[in-house]
Amino acid sequence: MTDQGAVPDFDGAEPPTDGPTDRDAATRETDPHTSDDSETDDSAEPAKTTSARSGAEAVVASLETAGVDTVFGVQGGAIMPVYDALYDAEEISHVTMAHEQGAAHAADAYGAVTGDPGICMATSGPGATNLVTGIADADMDSEPVVALTGQAPSDLVGNDAFQETDTVGVTTPITKSNTFASSADEVGEDVSTAFALAASGRQGPTLVDLPKDVTTDETDIGPTEPSVPDTVSVPDRADEGAVEAAGATIADAERPVILAGGGVVKGNASDELRAFAKEHDIPVATTMPGIGAFPEDHDLALEMAGMHGTGYANMAVTTTDCLLGVGTRFDDRLTGGVDSFAPDATVVHVDIDRAEISKNVEADHPLVGDAGTVLDQLAAAMDSSPDTDEWVAQCADWTAEYPMDYAVPAAETDEGAPDASSFPDDQPVKPQFVVEAVDAATDDDTVVTTGVGQHQMWACQYWTYTEPRTWVSSHGLGAMGYGLPSAIGARVAADDDQSVVCFDGDGSFLMTCQELVVAARENLDITVFVLNNEAIGMVRQWQDAFFDGRRMASEYPWVPKFDTLAEAFGADGFRIESYEDAPDVIEAALETDGPAVVDVYIDPTEDVYPMVPSGGDNGQFALSEDHL
């Protein structure tokens, strides 16, 4: 159903919302770079008849058939039948979160690390509405998530029943598809379809709303393999003629740049991107969601472009004559003012979602298709490479001219790690130093999660990312509080031998710190570094720069001792107050077998630079507040 009353009579002019929405129908299908579990199977067997089971058991059976191994959620009245069915699911673990927002963020991070849909569950009313921030975040960042929400019994829907909310109505704008389950016979297929849609094409969140009577009624219909509806179609390969024209443009370019977006990571196209860039000697910048798509220690790496991107990435993007954008939305935090973004460039735009082509930046060569497939097509179409020797040298000059450094430069040991002993111990600790020191102390495949704010930008700028799916953050929505619950989801998803580190700010950490109890209860090996400047630092930075220093509601007159707070939740607590503390504390926290929180007292005057003012010209980035 589209609403929570009677089924409307559709005449073809308005599609129902229990399938793909308008923006999905022409653009979303199975992505060949996703796992086999999520691919469309035209030969999928019809639903099998089995012995009678409840609708709730049908839901769980569909999750099992889809290969789900973890569900993040919070119990409640309307969802209780599904939880009861989950009791007997031997292959599915449940992680009980402290808050439903945490469940959605954990599921989001699980999807970001694995590429498979993360599952979150909540009850009706406040349980469902508490998921909304996490669902919206997954929608903005194209993360595969399936949300299962309890609902009041069907005959009470529309009567303001206890804990009733129009969950489908609330979440329609922020999901790829959502379904109001109408019967026990259909609910299993509803869940299977939601799983397939979340994983396919341009990934994103889906939702199934589960009235209590639907989950308690009986059915003899068995589960089916997840598959997308026949009405959903996305081109895999771009038009060959368009590819040839784009390839010729790239080959003739003098100053080409590849801009790798989050779609490269989501589409598992990092290998194709790296091969293409290296074969044709083309510098690579990334968007923030695209971090890890190209190794940042490579000579062709320009790192992140945009508002807080590197000076050399922004100079290259501003002066390029051919921009190959792959899997990017060209959002405002990347482009600044659209009129000044890559003004001299012929734009080749590769995206699996047709709706993104020319939405923000006009594409001269639109290539609609799967990122990896289209990059392979371009590689095959190009008989020659552009002559980029002078251009690569120019990019190297910009890298030297605009280095990523900070006021007190770190001395380097033979291993390249920052040497704490070289810093004056009477000066407050620089946050950039902490990021670099933790990076040096961990392996290249460490998964980094963050909240949102200044700490997020420092984690972007001063950690060297070499692998995809090792950077997990809230990009489009910018949801403070994302860091800790996403670290929990990442820890569950990551390989056992991978480390998981979270950089958070004091303001962001305070929003979801209750999830520490989950990490302690489950003995999850995560290490949280709270970069504590006793403020909502990014807001304060903007107030200083653009509001005449009027710091309204951005500074905290008092914050908890986060190391002590961690111990109250059952985690290990540590504190860094000086450079002298840093090496031993970082080592001890990382070696903790279980959750650890490090309260890092950072320089409260430190701000994030480079910076492009909102709507500004990326080529006119500021290196300090005086430049704004």
Side-chain angles (χ1 to χ4, degrees), residues 29-41 65-69 110-111 113-118 144 195-201 203 225-228 265-269 370 469:
E29 191 183 282
T30 298
D31 180 350
H33 289 265
T34 59
S35 68
D36 290 340
D37 286 339
S38 64
E39 292 200 4
T40 305
D41 182 3
T65 301
V68 171
D69 58 21
Y110 180 98
V113 172
T114 65
D116 298 322
F195 187 94
L197 285 169
S200 67
Q203 296 180 327
E225 294 288 337
S227 61
V228 298
V265 178
K266 302 295 183 297
N268 293 325
D370 168 72
R469 302 194 183 278

Side-chain angles (χ1 to χ4, degrees), residues 2 20 37 52 71 109 146 161 177 216 266 272 309 333 348 354 373 377 399 407 415 440 478 580 591 606 617 619:
T2 54
D37 286 339
V71 173
V146 178
S177 74
T216 56
K266 302 295 183 297
E272 290 86 347
R333 293 297 290 267
V348 180
R354 190 185 306 275
T373 302
Q377 287 182 271
T399 300
E415 293 77 25
E580 183 181 12
E591 289 182 353
E606 196 70 11
D617 182 339

Side-chain angles (χ1 to χ4, degrees), residues 406-619:
Y406 44 102
V408 183
E412 300 289 330
T413 67
D414 291 341
E415 293 77 25
D419 182 3
S421 66
S422 69
F423 287 82
D425 209 45
D426 59 349
Q427 293 189 12
V429 177
K430 295 293 184 181
Q432 302 95 322
F433 163 82
V434 178
V435 174
E436 289 182 326
V438 178
D439 186 11
T442 54
D443 294 332
D444 288 346
D445 65 350
T446 296
V447 178
V448 177
T449 78
T450 76
V452 168
Q454 289 178 315
H455 65 277
Q456 178 189 31
M457 295 301 105
W458 290 317
C460 284
Q461 295 172 331
Y462 290 93
W463 189 286
T464 302
Y465 297 90
T466 60
E467 299 296 331
R469 302 194 183 278
T470 57
W471 163 251
V472 180
S473 194
S474 174
H475 306 111
L477 192 67
M480 290 177 64
Y482 180 86
L484 177 57
S486 68
I488 290 171
R491 176 68 278 166
V492 173
D495 293 339
D496 291 341
D497 59 354
Q498 278 183 286
S499 298
V500 175
V501 167
C502 172
F503 289 105
D504 223 336
D506 46 303
S508 193
F509 185 72
L510 282 169
M511 291 193 172
T512 54
C513 63
Q514 69 272 10
E515 302 302 340
L516 268 179
V517 73
V518 181
R521 182 202 319 126
E522 302 290 336
N523 194 35
L524 299 176
D525 191 10
I526 60 175
T527 310
V528 182
F529 292 87
V530 181
L531 303 184
N532 183 357
N533 56 11
E534 299 185 345
I536 306 177
M538 190 62 82
V539 171
R540 186 194 62 193
Q541 179 173 338
W542 278 59
Q543 288 173 332
D544 288 349
F546 306 116
F547 291 86
D548 298 324
R550 294 162 59 87
R551 297 181 175 180
M552 176 62 191
S554 60
E555 296 180 295
Y556 298 125
W558 181 86
V559 294
K561 290 181 171 62
F562 292 114
D563 54 334
T564 304
L565 183 67
E567 291 173 354
F569 276 113
D572 284 356
F574 300 87
R575 186 181 305 176
I576 294 175
E577 296 181 287
S578 69
Y579 289 107
E580 183 181 12
D581 299 337
D584 290 343
V585 170
I586 289 171
E587 181 181 3
L590 291 171
E591 289 182 353
T592 297
D593 185 14
V597 175
V598 185
D599 191 359
V600 188
Y601 286 56
I602 64 168
D603 185 346
T605 67
E606 196 70 11
D607 284 335
V608 178
Y609 290 99
M611 179 180 180
V612 178
S614 182
D617 182 339
N618 281 348

Side-chain angles (χ1 to χ4, degrees), residues 258-260 284-292 294-296 300-317 331 333-334 404 453-454 456-463 465 471 473 475 538 608-612 618 621:
I258 296 172
L259 180 66
V284 180
T286 71
T287 66
M288 192 164 73
I291 286 175
F294 191 81
E296 294 183 340
L300 291 172
L302 299 169
E303 302 171 60
M304 183 177 73
M307 178 175 284
H308 291 294
T310 65
Y312 35 96
N314 281 333
M315 288 300 294
V317 168
D331 76 298
R333 293 297 290 267
L334 166 70
M404 292 302 299
Q454 289 178 315
Q456 178 189 31
M457 295 301 105
W458 290 317
C460 284
Q461 295 172 331
Y462 290 93
W463 189 286
Y465 297 90
W471 163 251
S473 194
H475 306 111
M538 190 62 82
V608 178
Y609 290 99
M611 179 180 180
V612 178
N618 281 348
F621 51 87

Side-chain angles (χ1 to χ4, degrees), residues 235-239 349 351-354 357 366-370 374:
D236 174 28
R237 298 175 62 83
D239 177 78
H349 190 182
D351 207 284
I352 200 167
D353 187 350
R354 190 185 306 275
I357 303 292
L367 302 178
V368 181
D370 168 72
V374 177

